[in-house]
Amino acid sequence: GSGGHLLIGVRDDGTVTGAGPRHGTTTEPARLEALIGNRTEPSVVTAAEVIALDENEVIVVEIPAGRSVVG
């Protein structure tokens, strides 16, 4: 595959619901990236960012193409 993006705060039908803060009152993308890297085997390096969409915050996680199955 070619990788993809995980959108947290968007339903499958495209409705933007927003993502609640993950770290107190904000979401820290670097902490989310570290969490994903530490909890996947083999470790997956991702890029995360928080964007404003329809007056809500959405977390976008870029996931690279995998060479093997990841758990």
Side-chain angles (χ1 to χ4, degrees), residues 8-36:
I8 302 170
V10 178
R11 292 187 178 167
D12 290 342
D13 67 2
T15 303
V16 178
T17 58
R22 302 293 192 242
H23 309 107
T25 59
T26 64
T27 297
E28 298 176 33
R31 287 179 66 181
L32 186 56
E33 294 166 357
L35 175 73
I36 294 168

Side-chain angles (χ1 to χ4, degrees), residues 24-51:
T25 59
T26 64
T27 297
E28 298 176 33
R31 287 179 66 181
L32 186 56
E33 294 166 357
L35 175 73
I36 294 168
N38 289 331
R39 296 213 176 162
T40 52
E41 183 63 38
S43 182
V44 176
V45 176
T46 60
E49 65 178 315
V50 179
I51 63 168

